[in-house]
Amino acid sequence: MKTIKILGTGCPKCKQTESVINEALALSGQQAEVIKVEDIQKIMEYNVMSTPAIVVDEVLKMKGKVPTVSEVLALLA
Amino acid sequence: MFDWLQNLADWLVYGVFGLEESSKLGIAVNFFFYDTIKILILLMLITTLMGLVNAYFPVERLRDFLQRKKLYGLENLLASFFGAITPFCSCSSVPLFIGFVQGGIPLGVTFSFLITSPLVNEIALAMFIGLFGIKFTVIYAVTGILLGTIGGMVLGRMGLEKYLSDWVQNLIKAKTEASEAYRAEQVPFKERLKAVLHEAWGIVKSIVIYVIIGIGIGAAMHGYVPENFFAQYLGSGQWWTVPFAVILAVPLYSNAAGIIPVIQVLVAKGVPIGTSIAFMMATIGLSIPEGTLLKKVMSTRLISIYFGVVTLFIIISGFIFNFIL
């Protein structure tokens, strides 16, 4: 099972990202653990400067924008 | 450029709704329709434009550039300029701040970015063009960028590193494993434009309600508050209005979309332009929520110094504008 982390300090965009990811997971029928990382010190460990960012299995996949459902599906494929 | 829109608003309000052209209600409703549509168009245009700039020149690239080049003072100007063209979100200011200091960018340069980023943003610019015109918008943007440049230089000279949170200081000492050089992603323009438009639409959608409320209040005041109503109380004769407006504005947290239409009416009714610019800069540029976020990386003392310096510079710019405009 994949682990998806959403990095972001709790702004509206991060919440949108979470709902897009959940939507994509529901659509593809995949199981994944979705974790929101809101602690700035932890976020900075991934060396990102623009949030929200998405980390899949500890690899930084996307940063600085809210993804679309199809983008998330591509990340999970 | 927007004549067609005025015709449309006239037709709708006086023709379809059948309101009197000279009535207060008619004027207010006309103003509301015209401004709302015009501003929504401008918002979409400018957020798309800035989104494109950002897609090709993201902030990571600026950081790498500043890390590698010595610019002899110009780096403050460059950081401030980029603060202006980077889409602003109050929640991203902290990661940006840390990303900069972590990459070994001097604190003063980082502050230049941090000051200008909220002060000159795509939403404020679109609203300014729509409500005050190009000339005013350019003056505002240039002032904001200069304010960030000089403010950052001053803060940089004050030796404030010791007031950063401990963990941030440790990050600076460790001077992270040289951040990997920025690599441009190879994305075709068409794909990029699609993503940017999607993003821009998201931004516009999220503020449309504030635009409508702000213009609604503005339109009501426009029709009902007498001309020069404010001139006698807040006219340029009273010097204290600038610091008063700024001090009132700092704790006032309002997004640009809501506050600018109201200010436009205040200006039309006699509040001096410098006082208004200062008020807007303080509302948009400094806010308590931003201060709370920054608490994670700075001591209260550093936040106070930062806010104090920026407030002072805003007051000074207000005086200068009242004097020259």
PDB file of all heavy atoms in Angstrom, chain B residues 262-282:
ATOM      1  N   VAL B 262     -13.832  49.593  -1.609  1.00  0.00           N
ATOM      2  CA  VAL B 262     -14.283  50.552  -0.602  1.00  0.00           C
ATOM      3  C   VAL B 262     -13.358  51.776  -0.599  1.00  0.00           C
ATOM      4  O   VAL B 262     -13.810  52.923  -0.580  1.00  0.00           O
ATOM      5  CB  VAL B 262     -14.339  49.882   0.792  1.00  0.00           C
ATOM      6  CG1 VAL B 262     -14.759  50.889   1.851  1.00  0.00           C
ATOM      7  CG2 VAL B 262     -15.299  48.705   0.771  1.00  0.00           C
ATOM      8  N   ILE B 263     -12.048  51.495  -0.672  1.00  0.00           N
ATOM      9  CA  ILE B 263     -11.077  52.592  -0.683  1.00  0.00           C
ATOM     10  C   ILE B 263     -11.292  53.490  -1.908  1.00  0.00           C
ATOM     11  O   ILE B 263     -11.173  54.707  -1.830  1.00  0.00           O
ATOM     12  CB  ILE B 263      -9.629  52.043  -0.724  1.00  0.00           C
ATOM     13  CG1 ILE B 263      -9.375  51.141   0.467  1.00  0.00           C
ATOM     14  CG2 ILE B 263      -8.635  53.175  -0.767  1.00  0.00           C
ATOM     15  CD1 ILE B 263      -9.316  51.839   1.776  1.00  0.00           C
ATOM     16  N   GLN B 264     -11.603  52.849  -3.037  1.00  0.00           N
ATOM     17  CA  GLN B 264     -11.784  53.631  -4.255  1.00  0.00           C
ATOM     18  C   GLN B 264     -12.868  54.686  -4.050  1.00  0.00           C
ATOM     19  O   GLN B 264     -12.744  55.817  -4.481  1.00  0.00           O
ATOM     20  CB  GLN B 264     -12.146  52.700  -5.418  1.00  0.00           C
ATOM     21  CG  GLN B 264     -12.062  53.375  -6.771  1.00  0.00           C
ATOM     22  CD  GLN B 264     -13.428  53.606  -7.378  1.00  0.00           C
ATOM     23  OE1 GLN B 264     -14.430  53.100  -6.909  1.00  0.00           O
ATOM     24  NE2 GLN B 264     -13.462  54.413  -8.421  1.00  0.00           N
ATOM     25  N   VAL B 265     -13.935  54.306  -3.366  1.00  0.00           N
ATOM     26  CA  VAL B 265     -15.010  55.252  -3.116  1.00  0.00           C
ATOM     27  C   VAL B 265     -14.547  56.345  -2.139  1.00  0.00           C
ATOM     28  O   VAL B 265     -14.855  57.516  -2.318  1.00  0.00           O
ATOM     29  CB  VAL B 265     -16.265  54.524  -2.576  1.00  0.00           C
ATOM     30  CG1 VAL B 265     -17.357  55.524  -2.249  1.00  0.00           C
ATOM     31  CG2 VAL B 265     -16.758  53.532  -3.617  1.00  0.00           C
ATOM     32  N   LEU B 266     -13.772  55.938  -1.131  1.00  0.00           N
ATOM     33  CA  LEU B 266     -13.250  56.937  -0.188  1.00  0.00           C
ATOM     34  C   LEU B 266     -12.438  57.998  -0.929  1.00  0.00           C
ATOM     35  O   LEU B 266     -12.550  59.190  -0.657  1.00  0.00           O
ATOM     36  CB  LEU B 266     -12.379  56.278   0.888  1.00  0.00           C
ATOM     37  CG  LEU B 266     -13.055  55.265   1.809  1.00  0.00           C
ATOM     38  CD1 LEU B 266     -12.104  54.811   2.896  1.00  0.00           C
ATOM     39  CD2 LEU B 266     -14.306  55.860   2.443  1.00  0.00           C
ATOM     40  N   VAL B 267     -11.608  57.534  -1.888  1.00  0.00           N
ATOM     41  CA  VAL B 267     -10.801  58.480  -2.664  1.00  0.00           C
ATOM     42  C   VAL B 267     -11.708  59.399  -3.485  1.00  0.00           C
ATOM     43  O   VAL B 267     -11.525  60.616  -3.506  1.00  0.00           O
ATOM     44  CB  VAL B 267      -9.805  57.736  -3.582  1.00  0.00           C
ATOM     45  CG1 VAL B 267      -9.118  58.701  -4.531  1.00  0.00           C
ATOM     46  CG2 VAL B 267      -8.770  56.995  -2.750  1.00  0.00           C
ATOM     47  N   ALA B 268     -12.725  58.785  -4.111  1.00  0.00           N
ATOM     48  CA  ALA B 268     -13.645  59.588  -4.916  1.00  0.00           C
ATOM     49  C   ALA B 268     -14.361  60.626  -4.059  1.00  0.00           C
ATOM     50  O   ALA B 268     -14.749  61.684  -4.543  1.00  0.00           O
ATOM     51  CB  ALA B 268     -14.665  58.677  -5.601  1.00  0.00           C
ATOM     52  N   LYS B 269     -14.525  60.333  -2.783  1.00  0.00           N
ATOM     53  CA  LYS B 269     -15.249  61.248  -1.904  1.00  0.00           C
ATOM     54  C   LYS B 269     -14.330  62.141  -1.079  1.00  0.00           C
ATOM     55  O   LYS B 269     -14.740  62.673  -0.055  1.00  0.00           O
ATOM     56  CB  LYS B 269     -16.157  60.458  -0.954  1.00  0.00           C
ATOM     57  CG  LYS B 269     -17.127  59.537  -1.643  1.00  0.00           C
ATOM     58  CD  LYS B 269     -18.222  60.287  -2.376  1.00  0.00           C
ATOM     59  CE  LYS B 269     -19.203  59.303  -3.021  1.00  0.00           C
ATOM     60  NZ  LYS B 269     -20.165  59.985  -3.868  1.00  0.00           N
ATOM     61  N   GLY B 270     -13.065  62.230  -1.475  1.00  0.00           N
ATOM     62  CA  GLY B 270     -12.225  63.253  -0.869  1.00  0.00           C
ATOM     63  C   GLY B 270     -11.111  62.823   0.063  1.00  0.00           C
ATOM     64  O   GLY B 270     -10.400  63.664   0.589  1.00  0.00           O
ATOM     65  N   VAL B 271     -10.907  61.511   0.290  1.00  0.00           N
ATOM     66  CA  VAL B 271      -9.760  61.106   1.096  1.00  0.00           C
ATOM     67  C   VAL B 271      -8.507  61.205   0.222  1.00  0.00           C
ATOM     68  O   VAL B 271      -8.510  60.731  -0.907  1.00  0.00           O
ATOM     69  CB  VAL B 271      -9.928  59.664   1.631  1.00  0.00           C
ATOM     70  CG1 VAL B 271      -8.669  59.185   2.323  1.00  0.00           C
ATOM     71  CG2 VAL B 271     -11.116  59.588   2.567  1.00  0.00           C
ATOM     72  N   PRO B 272      -7.429  61.844   0.728  1.00  0.00           N
ATOM     73  CA  PRO B 272      -6.236  62.002  -0.110  1.00  0.00           C
ATOM     74  C   PRO B 272      -5.632  60.660  -0.519  1.00  0.00           C
ATOM     75  O   PRO B 272      -5.706  59.686   0.221  1.00  0.00           O
ATOM     76  CB  PRO B 272      -5.258  62.773   0.773  1.00  0.00           C
ATOM     77  CG  PRO B 272      -5.987  63.152   1.981  1.00  0.00           C
ATOM     78  CD  PRO B 272      -7.270  62.415   2.055  1.00  0.00           C
ATOM     79  N   ILE B 273      -5.024  60.646  -1.712  1.00  0.00           N
ATOM     80  CA  ILE B 273      -4.540  59.409  -2.292  1.00  0.00           C
ATOM     81  C   ILE B 273      -3.407  58.769  -1.462  1.00  0.00           C
ATOM     82  O   ILE B 273      -3.352  57.560  -1.315  1.00  0.00           O
ATOM     83  CB  ILE B 273      -4.113  59.648  -3.762  1.00  0.00           C
ATOM     84  CG1 ILE B 273      -4.021  58.334  -4.518  1.00  0.00           C
ATOM     85  CG2 ILE B 273      -2.824  60.405  -3.879  1.00  0.00           C
ATOM     86  CD1 ILE B 273      -5.263  58.021  -5.271  1.00  0.00           C
ATOM     87  N   GLY B 274      -2.515  59.593  -0.916  1.00  0.00           N
ATOM     88  CA  GLY B 274      -1.401  59.057  -0.120  1.00  0.00           C
ATOM     89  C   GLY B 274      -1.909  58.332   1.115  1.00  0.00           C
ATOM     90  O   GLY B 274      -1.445  57.236   1.457  1.00  0.00           O
ATOM     91  N   THR B 275      -2.874  58.938   1.770  1.00  0.00           N
ATOM     92  CA  THR B 275      -3.465  58.318   2.950  1.00  0.00           C
ATOM     93  C   THR B 275      -4.100  56.980   2.567  1.00  0.00           C
ATOM     94  O   THR B 275      -3.945  55.982   3.267  1.00  0.00           O
ATOM     95  CB  THR B 275      -4.543  59.250   3.550  1.00  0.00           C
ATOM     96  OG1 THR B 275      -3.983  60.554   3.671  1.00  0.00           O
ATOM     97  CG2 THR B 275      -5.005  58.774   4.908  1.00  0.00           C
ATOM     98  N   SER B 276      -4.780  56.970   1.416  1.00  0.00           N
ATOM     99  CA  SER B 276      -5.431  55.741   0.969  1.00  0.00           C
ATOM    100  C   SER B 276      -4.423  54.659   0.613  1.00  0.00           C
ATOM    101  O   SER B 276      -4.598  53.495   0.963  1.00  0.00           O
ATOM    102  CB  SER B 276      -6.295  56.008  -0.260  1.00  0.00           C
ATOM    103  OG  SER B 276      -7.083  57.132  -0.045  1.00  0.00           O
ATOM    104  N   ILE B 277      -3.353  55.057  -0.102  1.00  0.00           N
ATOM    105  CA  ILE B 277      -2.335  54.066  -0.468  1.00  0.00           C
ATOM    106  C   ILE B 277      -1.723  53.465   0.795  1.00  0.00           C
ATOM    107  O   ILE B 277      -1.563  52.252   0.918  1.00  0.00           O
ATOM    108  CB  ILE B 277      -1.219  54.687  -1.342  1.00  0.00           C
ATOM    109  CG1 ILE B 277      -1.781  55.072  -2.712  1.00  0.00           C
ATOM    110  CG2 ILE B 277      -0.061  53.714  -1.519  1.00  0.00           C
ATOM    111  CD1 ILE B 277      -0.742  55.579  -3.683  1.00  0.00           C
ATOM    112  N   ALA B 278      -1.415  54.329   1.756  1.00  0.00           N
ATOM    113  CA  ALA B 278      -0.805  53.856   2.995  1.00  0.00           C
ATOM    114  C   ALA B 278      -1.753  52.893   3.707  1.00  0.00           C
ATOM    115  O   ALA B 278      -1.340  51.840   4.200  1.00  0.00           O
ATOM    116  CB  ALA B 278      -0.472  55.036   3.903  1.00  0.00           C
ATOM    117  N   PHE B 279      -3.026  53.249   3.720  1.00  0.00           N
ATOM    118  CA  PHE B 279      -4.012  52.391   4.372  1.00  0.00           C
ATOM    119  C   PHE B 279      -4.067  51.018   3.703  1.00  0.00           C
ATOM    120  O   PHE B 279      -4.038  49.985   4.361  1.00  0.00           O
ATOM    121  CB  PHE B 279      -5.392  53.066   4.310  1.00  0.00           C
ATOM    122  CG  PHE B 279      -6.482  52.286   4.985  1.00  0.00           C
ATOM    123  CD1 PHE B 279      -6.632  52.332   6.357  1.00  0.00           C
ATOM    124  CD2 PHE B 279      -7.359  51.509   4.247  1.00  0.00           C
ATOM    125  CE1 PHE B 279      -7.634  51.618   6.994  1.00  0.00           C
ATOM    126  CE2 PHE B 279      -8.366  50.789   4.871  1.00  0.00           C
ATOM    127  CZ  PHE B 279      -8.501  50.840   6.251  1.00  0.00           C
ATOM    128  N   MET B 280      -4.079  51.021   2.363  1.00  0.00           N
ATOM    129  CA  MET B 280      -4.157  49.759   1.644  1.00  0.00           C
ATOM    130  C   MET B 280      -2.908  48.913   1.841  1.00  0.00           C
ATOM    131  O   MET B 280      -2.984  47.706   2.018  1.00  0.00           O
ATOM    132  CB  MET B 280      -4.374  50.014   0.160  1.00  0.00           C
ATOM    133  CG  MET B 280      -5.814  50.336  -0.130  1.00  0.00           C
ATOM    134  SD  MET B 280      -6.118  50.500  -1.869  1.00  0.00           S
ATOM    135  CE  MET B 280      -5.453  52.097  -2.190  1.00  0.00           C
ATOM    136  N   MET B 281      -1.743  49.576   1.786  1.00  0.00           N
ATOM    137  CA  MET B 281      -0.501  48.824   1.966  1.00  0.00           C
ATOM    138  C   MET B 281      -0.489  48.143   3.329  1.00  0.00           C
ATOM    139  O   MET B 281      -0.080  46.990   3.455  1.00  0.00           O
ATOM    140  CB  MET B 281       0.701  49.750   1.853  1.00  0.00           C
ATOM    141  CG  MET B 281       1.015  50.136   0.431  1.00  0.00           C
ATOM    142  SD  MET B 281       2.569  51.014   0.360  1.00  0.00           S
ATOM    143  CE  MET B 281       3.020  50.663  -1.330  1.00  0.00           C
ATOM    144  N   ALA B 282      -0.943  48.877   4.345  1.00  0.00           N
ATOM    145  CA  ALA B 282      -0.916  48.312   5.688  1.00  0.00           C
ATOM    146  C   ALA B 282      -1.926  47.169   5.829  1.00  0.00           C
ATOM    147  O   ALA B 282      -1.653  46.170   6.485  1.00  0.00           O
ATOM    148  CB  ALA B 282      -1.181  49.395   6.724  1.00  0.00           C
TER     149      ALA B 282
END
